[in-house]
Amino acid sequence: MTDAFETLAIHAGQEPDPLTGAVVPPIYQTSTYKQDGVGGLRSGYEYSRSANPTRTALEDCLAAIEGGVRGLAFASGLAAEDCLLRTVCRPGDHVLIPDDAYGGTYRLFARVLADWGLSHAVVPIGDITAVRERLATRPARVVWAETPTNPLLGVADIRALADTAHAAGALLVVDNTFASPYLQQPLALGADFVVHSTTKYLGGHSDVVGGAVIAADAQTAERIAYHQNATGAVAGPFDSWLTLRGIKTLAVRMDRHCANAMRIAGMLAEHLAVAEVLYPGLPTHAGHKTAAAQMRAFGGMVSFRHAAGEQAAVATCGRTRLFTLAESLGGVESLIEHPGRMTHASAAGSALEVPPDLVRLSVGIEDPDDLIADLRQAL
Ligand SMILES: *Cc1c(COP(=O)(O)O)cnc(C)c1O
């Protein structure tokens, strides 16, 4: 019998400590482990880059809540992406990347992995015909997808992408950071790997930076684990513990994030200072039907374009009282930012450049009336 999401989030990988009965997995703040005679490892632990019990608890929990065979926890989302790509790709390989994605992901492909010999082409990942045509022109090892995307909230049909990628001999990676596994489970829809910035909704409290890869097959997972140990960007014990604690409340937090975001999107859609609201929960959103089919709800991220242009968008970001002007997202507190000058500055001048009048909101779990009043006075 498999437990439901909410149950797995609290219990998976987290049996009470056999020695003391501690209900919460301890922070094993240790780099090394006593051996009972040379090679006599207790429970397989040898050195904390290779494995640490607090990290193991997190990795088992991540695998369970994404429906994968194995989870691997990293020092950041980008470390997870880098390790996955250098495990499944070889220099000379080609990858398809979205025309809208986290700026740091784009920078990793364009400025770091390009020098390692990994070439990329940019496609509108929500357009299956465009993806199929690209793959027919030039085979790719990996199709990289984000859905919903950061910061334009574009939606891609994961099952159709998986079928298209697999038919062309490519692997599908889904960055599930915006949705979280509570709202959407890409592996069940055919994706080969899920990556996360656990810094965001999984951690949920803006107090830890971390990343994860969750794999659908054990053999590749073993190779990623090998690379994780060989390159070493692992999550530390305290970071793993904070992330585990965050995951326990993911379901209840996401319900509230989604409800608040829906109300705010509705308010913005009627506001005269707003030219366009980007939120998959609105029936007018191009990806609404697909999102409704593959997601439990539409998430806590809302972007909008200011009707009066860039200066007005920047000024709005500086006038909120409750929405804190800051990068990042997914915490309990609401954040506001200007992607063009902040999170996505590294995409300037590229195919992934974002509109200058764009404002991005990470809607927190405060009282929705307070949040709406704050946005109204700022606009
Ligand atoms: C933040 C983010 C990342 C990068 O994660 P870090 O933990 O900052 O390294 C990757 N993808 C998305 C969608 C993000 O929002």
Side-chain angles (χ1 to χ4, degrees):
M1 205 195 90
T2 51
D3 291 318
F5 183 92
E6 291 84 341
T7 308
L8 291 173
I10 292 168
H11 294 288
Q14 302 169 72
E15 284 302 307
D17 181 49
L19 191 63
T20 63
V23 167
V24 172
I27 303 167
Y28 284 89
Q29 197 69 42
T30 187
S31 61
T32 190
Y33 306 82
K34 175 181 160 59
Q35 305 194 5
D36 298 317
V38 175
L41 307 183
R42 299 183 191 175
S43 318
Y45 292 101
E46 181 178 23
Y47 182 60
S48 280
R49 169 160 39 69
S50 313
N52 172 283
T54 316
R55 194 173 97 222
T56 303
L58 171 60
E59 291 180 333
D60 290 351
C61 186
L62 287 165
I65 61 176
E66 278 290 3
V69 300
R70 186 159 177 188
L72 295 151
F74 291 84
S76 72
L78 285 173
E81 295 182 15
D82 181 50
C83 184
L84 171 63
L85 286 161
R86 287 193 291 141
T87 303
V88 300
C89 298
R90 295 273 67 83
D93 281 351
H94 185 64
V95 296
L96 289 193
I97 65 169
D99 63 354
D100 175 30
Y102 175 62
T105 298
Y106 175 69
R107 183 177 55 200
L108 178 65
F109 280 110
R111 313 225 205 287
V112 178
L113 292 171
D115 289 343
W116 183 71
L118 190 67
S119 66
H120 67 269
V122 174
V123 283
I125 213 79
D127 180 348
I128 294 296
T129 311
V131 173
R132 192 177 299 124
E133 279 167 7
R134 272 291 185 169
L135 289 170
T137 322
R138 181 171 179 188
R141 180 79 184 125
V142 163
V143 174
W144 189 276
E146 243 180 59
T147 181
T149 59
N150 182 359
L152 297 176
L153 282 307
V155 171
D157 181 335
I158 297 172
R159 190 177 290 285
L161 265 183
D163 291 346
T164 305
H166 295 159
L171 298 164
L172 177 66
V173 179
V174 176
D175 181 338
N176 204 25
T177 299
F178 264 37
S180 89
Y182 176 60
L183 298 184
Q184 164 179 291
Q185 306 209 311
L187 300 180
L189 298 170
D192 300 285
F193 305 99
V194 163
V195 299
H196 276 286
S197 170
T198 56
T199 314
K200 316 293 170 55
Y201 287 106
L202 292 174
H205 297 74
S206 307
D207 54 11
V208 61
V209 171
V213 175
I214 298 97
D217 93 280
Q219 247 183 329
T220 318
E222 190 55 43
R223 287 177 49 224
I224 303 165
Y226 181 87
H227 276 71
Q228 181 195 39
N229 180 47
T231 57
V234 296
F238 185 49
D239 289 357
S240 298
W241 184 88
L242 282 171
T243 307
L244 261 180
R245 185 167 78 161
I247 290 171
K248 288 179 194 291
T249 56
L250 179 65
V252 290
R253 283 187 286 109
M254 284 317 292
D255 284 341
R256 181 65 173 258
H257 282 298
C258 294
N260 282 1
M262 188 68 103
R263 278 202 53 196
I264 284 171
M267 182 280 281
L268 292 171
E270 315 245 281
H271 201 288
L272 290 176
V274 174
E276 188 186 0
V277 184
L278 308 172
Y279 185 64
L282 296 177
T284 49
H285 186 280
H288 176 69
K289 276 214 179 74
T290 304
Q294 71 188 12
M295 299 175 78
R296 188 196 294 253
F298 303 99
M301 298 300 296
V302 179
S303 293
F304 67 90
R305 301 184 66 169
H306 202 295
E310 179 172 10
Q311 290 309 326
V314 169
T316 302
C317 293
R319 274 198 298 262
T320 49
R321 181 178 69 87
L322 291 174
F323 281 83
T324 302
L325 176 59
E327 299 198 358
S328 199
L329 60 108
V332 292
E333 61 285 298
S334 294
L335 303 179
I336 189 167
E337 69 124 0
H338 184 263
R341 294 192 187 181
M342 296 171 65
T343 48
H344 290 68
S346 59
S350 79
L352 280 80
E353 186 168 302
V354 297
D357 54 10
L358 191 75
V359 174
R360 190 189 75 178
L361 304 175
S362 173
V363 178
I365 64 172
E366 300 96 332
D367 179 81
D369 294 325
D370 289 345
L371 295 178
I372 283 173
D374 188 31
L375 286 174
R376 281 193 192 283
Q377 64 80 23
L379 280 164

